[in-house]
Amino acid sequence: MGIAERKEREKQDIKDLILLKAKEILIKEGQDGLSIRKLATEIEYSPATIYLYFQDKDEILYQMMNMGFEKMAQSMAHVYTLEDPLKRIFEIGRLYIEFGLNEWEWYHLMFNSASPMNHIERCKAEWGPGIAMYDYLASCCKEAYALQNKLDRDPKIAALHLWSAAHGLVTLAVTHRFCVVEDNAHEETVRNKLIDDTLKHIMISLFDYKI
Amino acid sequence: MGIAERKEREKQDIKDLILLKAKEILIKEGQDGLSIRKLATEIEYSPATIYLYFQDKDEILYQMMNMGFEKMAQSMAHVYTLEDPLKRIFEIGRLYIEFGLNEWEWYHLMFNSASPMNHIERCKAEWGPGIAMYDYLASCCKEAYALQNKLDRDPKIAALHLWSAAHGLVTLAVTHRFCVVEDNAHEETVRNKLIDDTLKHIMISLFDYKI
DNA sequence: TGATTTAATAAACAGTGTTTAGTATATTTG
DNA sequence: CAAATATACTAAACACTGTTTATTAAATCA
């Protein structure tokens, strides 16, 4: 009975179509510009149809959050090839911040927005890629501290320190909090210099690592 | 001709009334629950009237952001009395994070939301209290580094490091990113422990300061 | 008192997420 | 094959949102 399978395929096709168009709108107009009604006209279905494939808007955002994690993982793929754990940590930090600044709409979904998290709690779904990234960073910190004989430091807490600092840098920069505490002549350049210097400061403070 | 003055007073009174009720709604229902129409019914005027006193919703949020800075400054008042710059820095960090967690709606307005910043750019208004806080923190870092003869460290960048880390901690915690990377048994307690440990880690990393 | 300025609003505009009731079409059953 | 059922889809409504415009009522000025 291939009909059920075909229907299943068609259902998945429309789900994919919705997510594909949602992705396009997200990139073009950001999370605020992504509305169910706009998405509906874009895929040439009525708004109500979308609710036959997704429970609500937050579920769509949740699915897109996962797409964002894939994107980020891709941009960080080469990190695993590095020998030196300190270089790995620095690269993770650098790429994390770069991703946050250049792909803010994805980043916002993954680490800042409340909407997709609503769905995580409701479904008790997992945040697999986020946890994996955090665990990997912690393992790098463990290696680094082991090499430096800093055995009193908790690598998990160090990872949290790094994550928080990087996340703070990204969000404060994107929401224009840096351009007001510094002379905001050329926001972009000032911002990049501040972030670069702060990342260096972080590496020196945590690991006495001068790049 | 006291009529003009009286009118000016009455105008200010209504402005104050709007902001007072806005504050009440913000505390009760958060920034998402604060709508112009709800605010209008609350002050017993029509929605259109609000636009005679404020340019748009963002201007109201901008004014409330400034109220938030006052609140935060009050909670940090005793810091200035501390002798040791390291104790000052730790207290600023501790109180900053505490404020962010306990008064999230205010914090969100001050350091996370995009809306009030729209207005800052439009009006070229200042972010005085935020800048003052940042400068004070930087001056504390300068003192601390001077006492420790760490003259190669830039205190402004250290302040940015501290600020970013604290901001990151607060926002990741509030948006439930911590409860998913740790076993989320008791979100509140896990979260508080993580934040406490991370703050300690920050103080050790930056200033070799064990509390 | 009559003219003018000011304050306030009803109603509309252009959106938003979501639900419900109803209609075509496709599939299954007798 | 025809009747019954199940599926896919949508029009319209509900309850909201921020903001603008035309109009009315009241206060002030001449």
Side-chain angles (χ1 to χ4, degrees):
Chain A
M1 205 158 285
I3 287 171
E5 278 93 332
R6 196 209 64 211
K7 290 226 164 177
E8 197 58 47
R9 269 204 316 276
E10 285 176 353
K11 198 151 197 150
Q12 192 55 52
D13 284 349
I14 293 190
K15 264 189 155 175
D16 291 346
L17 177 67
I18 292 170
L19 289 175
L20 186 80
K21 285 287 174 192
K23 196 171 118 183
E24 281 177 29
I25 296 173
L26 182 83
I27 291 164
K28 265 189 214 134
E29 308 179 54
Q31 194 175 312
D32 291 344
L34 173 56
S35 78
I36 296 291
R37 294 173 122 100
K38 200 182 285 175
L39 186 50
T41 56
E42 206 65 41
I43 60 168
E44 294 175 299
Y45 281 91
S46 81
T49 300
I50 289 171
Y51 290 87
L52 299 174
Y53 296 91
F54 295 95
Q55 206 174 95
D56 52 26
K57 192 185 175 181
D58 289 349
E59 201 198 328
I60 296 174
L61 294 177
Y62 170 73
Q63 298 283 7
M64 298 183 73
M65 181 182 81
N66 288 333
M67 290 165 75
F69 273 116
E70 270 176 51
K71 251 182 101 75
M72 193 181 224
Q74 274 170 29
S75 77
M76 287 191 178
H78 85 272
V79 169
Y80 302 91
T81 66
L82 297 172
E83 274 286 318
D84 186 0
L86 287 167
K87 276 191 180 134
R88 248 148 45 206
I89 292 166
F90 178 76
E91 272 299 283
I92 290 170
R94 194 181 65 79
L95 291 167
Y96 183 97
I97 291 166
E98 206 167 77
F99 183 90
L101 297 176
N102 297 334
E103 313 280 354
W104 168 248
E105 292 306 337
W106 290 109
Y107 184 90
H108 177 60
L109 224 42
M110 293 154 71
F111 297 108
N112 213 43
S113 174
S115 310
M117 296 310 261
N118 292 339
H119 216 268
I120 263 188
E121 293 201 85
R122 211 191 297 157
C123 297
K124 280 178 182 136
E126 277 176 50
W127 208 53
I131 297 164
M133 254 188 52
Y134 170 66
D135 285 345
Y136 180 67
L137 182 61
S139 80
C140 291
C141 290
K142 195 177 179 182
E143 263 190 75
Y145 280 146
L147 284 170
Q148 298 181 329
N149 277 324
K150 286 179 182 166
L151 300 168
D152 56 318
R153 304 279 178 95
D154 183 343
K156 270 200 154 190
I157 296 300
L160 220 52
H161 180 172
L162 281 161
W163 184 19
S164 297
H167 175 68
L169 275 177
V170 169
T171 54
L172 287 172
V174 172
T175 61
H176 308 290
R177 263 72 182 186
F178 281 170
C179 71
V180 291
V181 295
E182 291 293 324
D183 12 86
N184 42 0
H186 301 299
E187 184 177 351
E188 195 102 335
T189 48
V190 170
R191 174 175 101 172
N192 287 337
K193 195 206 152 5
L194 286 178
I195 288 169
D196 202 58
D197 288 350
T198 309
L199 185 54
K200 282 175 193 161
H201 191 273
I202 291 170
M203 291 307 291
I204 290 173
S205 301
L206 271 80
F207 305 103
D208 299 300
Y209 180 72
K210 273 197 182 69
I211 58 114
Chain B
M1 206 160 280
I3 287 171
E5 277 94 331
R6 196 209 63 211
K7 289 225 165 177
E8 198 58 46
R9 269 203 316 276
E10 285 176 352
K11 197 149 199 151
Q12 191 55 51
D13 285 350
I14 293 190
K15 264 189 154 174
D16 291 346
L17 177 67
I18 292 170
L19 288 175
L20 186 80
K21 284 287 174 192
K23 195 172 121 182
E24 281 177 30
I25 296 172
L26 182 83
I27 291 163
K28 264 190 215 133
E29 309 179 54
Q31 193 176 311
D32 290 344
L34 172 56
S35 78
I36 295 292
R37 294 173 121 100
K38 201 183 283 174
L39 186 48
T41 56
E42 206 66 40
I43 59 167
E44 294 175 297
Y45 280 91
S46 82
T49 301
I50 289 170
Y51 290 87
L52 300 173
Y53 296 91
F54 294 95
Q55 204 173 97
D56 53 26
K57 193 186 175 182
D58 289 349
E59 201 198 328
I60 296 173
L61 294 177
Y62 170 73
Q63 298 283 7
M64 299 183 73
M65 181 182 81
N66 289 333
M67 290 165 76
F69 274 115
E70 270 176 51
K71 251 180 101 73
M72 192 181 225
Q74 274 170 29
S75 78
M76 287 191 177
H78 85 272
V79 169
Y80 302 91
T81 66
L82 297 172
E83 273 286 317
D84 186 0
L86 287 167
K87 276 191 180 135
R88 244 144 54 203
I89 292 167
F90 178 77
E91 272 299 283
I92 290 170
R94 195 183 64 79
L95 291 167
Y96 183 97
I97 291 166
E98 207 167 76
F99 183 89
L101 296 176
N102 297 335
E103 313 281 353
W104 168 248
E105 292 305 338
W106 290 110
Y107 184 90
H108 177 60
L109 224 42
M110 292 155 71
F111 297 108
N112 213 42
S113 174
S115 310
M117 297 309 262
N118 292 338
H119 217 269
I120 262 190
E121 292 203 83
R122 211 191 299 158
C123 296
K124 280 180 182 135
E126 278 176 50
W127 208 53
I131 297 164
M133 254 188 52
Y134 170 66
D135 285 345
Y136 180 68
L137 182 61
S139 80
C140 292
C141 290
K142 194 177 179 181
E143 264 189 74
Y145 281 145
L147 284 170
Q148 298 181 330
N149 276 324
K150 286 181 183 164
L151 301 167
D152 55 319
R153 304 281 177 93
D154 183 342
K156 271 200 152 188
I157 296 299
L160 220 53
H161 180 171
L162 282 161
W163 184 21
S164 297
H167 175 68
L169 275 177
V170 168
T171 54
L172 288 172
V174 173
T175 61
H176 308 290
R177 263 72 182 188
F178 281 169
C179 70
V180 290
V181 295
E182 293 292 325
D183 12 270
N184 42 0
H186 302 299
E187 184 177 351
E188 195 101 337
T189 47
V190 170
R191 175 176 101 173
N192 287 337
K193 195 203 149 8
L194 285 179
I195 287 169
D196 203 57
D197 287 350
T198 309
L199 185 54
K200 280 176 195 161
H201 191 273
I202 291 169
M203 292 307 291
I204 290 174
S205 301
L206 272 80
F207 305 104
D208 299 299
Y209 180 72
K210 273 196 181 70
I211 58 115

